[in-house]
Amino acid sequence: MSEKVLPARATFRTRKSRSPHSVVLSDSILDIGTVEPIQFIDLTDYINEYLRVNAVESGTVTVFSRHTTAAIKINEAEELLLEDFKRMLRELCPSERGYNHNDMSRRKPPIAPDERPNAHSHLMHLLLSTSETIPVIDGRLALGTWQRVFMVELDGPRERQVMIRCEAYHPNEMAEAVELHAVDGGNGRNRAAHHRAHLK
Amino acid sequence: MSEKVLPARATFRTRKSRSPHSVVLSDSILDIGTVEPIQFIDLTDYINEYLRVNAVESGTVTVFSRHTTAAIKINEAEELLLEDFKRMLRELCPSERGYNHNDMSRRKPPIAPDERPNAHSHLMHLLLSTSETIPVIDGRLALGTWQRVFMVELDGPRERQVMIRCEAYHPNEMAEAVELHAVDGGNGRNRAAHHRAHLK
Amino acid sequence: MSEKVLPARATFRTRKSRSPHSVVLSDSILDIGTVEPIQFIDLTDYINEYLRVNAVESGTVTVFSRHTTAAIKINEAEELLLEDFKRMLRELCPSERGYNHNDMSRRKPPIAPDERPNAHSHLMHLLLSTSETIPVIDGRLALGTWQRVFMVELDGPRERQVMIRCEAYHPNEMAEAVELHAVDGGNGRNRAAHHRAHLK
């Protein structure tokens, strides 16, 4: 079938890393206090600043919501558009409708101590996403001109945690160390210094 | 625009790996037999047990559905809520409506031998997800309190396959081996032993 | 809760890599010219050909749209079904409805030079995805029989860019090099040759 829906024109531009890489892992929790029932919070500047401070040049970032009523989505940070988003979510998942999840008389434990009737928030979340995976190139999220990364509060106000999982790719300094060894006849001191410099 | 939608308060907590890591890859297929037309199957305990058996301490898991009418989503495993999810999906994508995909007289091959009128199942899937990517920390999926990982059957009963792609991160034992070499003057036997111990 | 929704039957089949791997990273931009307002463009053959040309045997591909009105989704490439998808998107997000985002008199800069009333396109995108993450096994996307990877144009015709981020996993040739060193008594020339062969 696929031939039927191939584009009229498509071209590739490729940039390939010159050597094998190792992964340096860092996990961060972004604590966020929300103030509205539905709120789009732009995390893009936070994440790019995090990449700058941690000197991440190349890698992959996974932005992961630790909640079932707060989502992660990429779209445009235009104020009027965010109002349109909120209206669509409210219309697709109206809070005033009757839901099984909101009937506490039928709910089995465990029930969250701060539980409130929020079936509509879970339904909105089912239509959105728990995480976004974003390439990092030249020290920044490789986003298009209008793309911004949002945490979408769907049951606010609440205290939220967003995990920023960063896989930074570093050239295998061992490869260079062993090549150096082959060239310099095995001077351990040189190689160790070379190695430490790379791990800084 | 982004300043306009930044949170009133946001703070970072970071934990960074001390050294470069290598990746140990494992792919598993989870064979699942479903019994209902729409069924939420909680895979969380399976995946955590898989991580325990394979001694994965740190890494990333991608849970990937190999089907176009079975999705992967993270939400809360509350029975009444799952009924609300099913109702929303049935209302957004009613099975009794007329669909082009269900008009077999117009369908071109290939057609699945067990094909049934299931356009509504494909539509539901378009609103959900094929996969979820989840960080692994301290040997478990780094999920929030109420998060569970579901395979969502949308055209059951059927036999399904979910791929569990696990990227486990291990410190680069080679780095330590070469540093040891620099210290111990290059005793190959010691270093090889050191190396094997790490790969166990 | 989870026990309540576990499947009647589930079994695991696992394939694990024998040694730690390094990552070879390659990023490609796929330039695509679209011709319809809503168009499903099947990228699967392009990506598999890309994997073949770059000799990627094992890894992970992230297909990432650099746009807020063009999405990436996996589903079936059946022509009649794609028409059903388009109808659902048009009904959930009608273009003729009034939207705040389309009221240029209230919009604050920056505004795209080629901006058109496209709030409905952004709304459709919010219900779809910016990217898909797909395992690569034996040199091909590890997709199920009916799965195809689409870029979904939601505001065409336009010029689009899709990023193909490929993380290829390669065995740590350094591990073998150091083991060889332990065996052959440290012949740098042999080991360097061994090493170069692996990096080719």
Side-chain angles (χ1 to χ4, degrees), chain B residues 69-89:
Chain B
T69 56
I72 305 295
K73 287 295 285 189
I74 294 174
N75 213 300
E76 182 180 345
E78 195 282 302
E79 290 179 308
L80 302 173
L81 179 61
L82 299 183
E83 293 309 309
D84 294 323
F85 286 160
K86 294 175 189 174
R87 184 178 69 175
M88 179 177 71
L89 290 170

Side-chain angles (χ1 to χ4, degrees), chain A residues 164-195:
Chain A
I164 313 293
R165 151 67 58 106
C166 179
E167 299 168 19
Y169 302 119
H170 291 251
N172 281 0
E173 51 278 282
M174 290 312 93
E176 304 167 37
V178 174
E179 273 202 312
L180 178 64
H181 177 62
V183 172
D184 72 12
N187 182 320
R189 210 176 290 91
N190 285 10
R191 186 169 59 266
H194 178 80
H195 169 207

Side-chain angles (χ1 to χ4, degrees), chain C residues 123-175:
Chain C
L123 293 176
M124 292 173 182
H125 188 280
L126 194 72
L127 297 177
L128 302 180
S129 307
T130 293
S131 72
E132 295 273 11
T133 297
I134 309 162
V136 175
I137 299 178
D138 298 335
R140 297 181 63 79
L141 296 172
L143 297 169
T145 309
W146 302 97
Q147 288 181 306
R148 306 291 292 185
V149 185
F150 294 96
M151 185 193 87
V152 189
E153 173 62 76
L154 300 167
D155 188 30
R158 281 191 183 278
E159 296 299 309
R160 299 301 196 177
Q161 293 187 344
V162 173
M163 177 176 299
I164 313 293
R165 152 68 57 107
C166 178
E167 299 168 16
Y169 302 119
H170 291 251
N172 281 0
E173 51 278 282
M174 290 313 92

Side-chain angles (χ1 to χ4, degrees), chain A residues 11-139:
Chain A
T11 60
F12 264 118
R13 287 178 279 140
T14 300
R15 179 171 75 167
K16 190 164 183 174
S17 64
R18 287 179 305 284
S19 68
H21 286 54
S22 293
V23 176
V24 173
L25 201 63
S26 61
D27 295 316
S28 288
I29 298 293
L30 182 54
D31 292 299
I32 303 173
T34 62
V35 295
E36 302 171 15
I38 304 181
Q39 184 178 2
F40 283 74
I41 295 171
D42 188 337
L43 306 180
T44 315
D45 296 346
Y46 286 78
I47 299 167
N48 277 326
E49 174 65 9
Y50 173 80
L51 295 173
R52 192 187 64 73
V53 169
N54 287 273
V56 176
E57 269 302 294
S58 175
T60 303
V61 167
T62 298
V63 183
F64 187 91
S65 166
R66 306 196 67 224
H67 307 279
T68 54
T69 56
I72 306 295
K73 287 296 283 190
I74 294 174
N75 212 301
E76 182 179 345
E78 195 281 303
E79 290 179 308
L80 302 174
L81 179 61
L82 299 183
E83 292 310 308
D84 294 323
F85 286 160
K86 294 174 189 176
R87 183 178 70 176
M88 178 177 71
L89 290 170
R90 282 189 296 257
E91 288 177 356
L92 287 176
C93 313
S95 61
E96 63 277 16
R97 178 171 181 178
Y99 296 103
N100 298 298
H101 181 64
N102 294 347
D103 180 355
M104 294 300 167
S105 69
R106 295 163 56 201
R107 286 279 288 278
K108 299 199 187 80
I111 298 178
D114 61 343
E115 181 71 352
R116 54 182 87 159
N118 66 352
H120 66 286
S121 309
H122 287 281
L123 293 176
M124 292 174 183
H125 187 280
L126 194 72
L127 298 177
L128 302 179
S129 306
T130 292
S131 71
E132 295 273 12
T133 298
I134 310 163
V136 176
I137 299 178
D138 298 335

Side-chain angles (χ1 to χ4, degrees), chain B residues 19 48 57 62 68 75 80 87 107 138 147 152 164 198:
Chain B
S19 69
N48 277 326
E57 269 302 295
T62 298
T68 54
N75 213 300
L80 302 173
R87 184 178 69 175
R107 285 280 287 280
D138 298 335
Q147 287 181 306
V152 189
I164 313 292
H198 270 282

Side-chain angles (χ1 to χ4, degrees), chain B residues 184-196:
Chain B
D184 74 11
N187 182 323
R189 211 175 292 90
N190 285 10
R191 185 169 60 265
H194 179 81
H195 168 209
R196 277 193 296 276

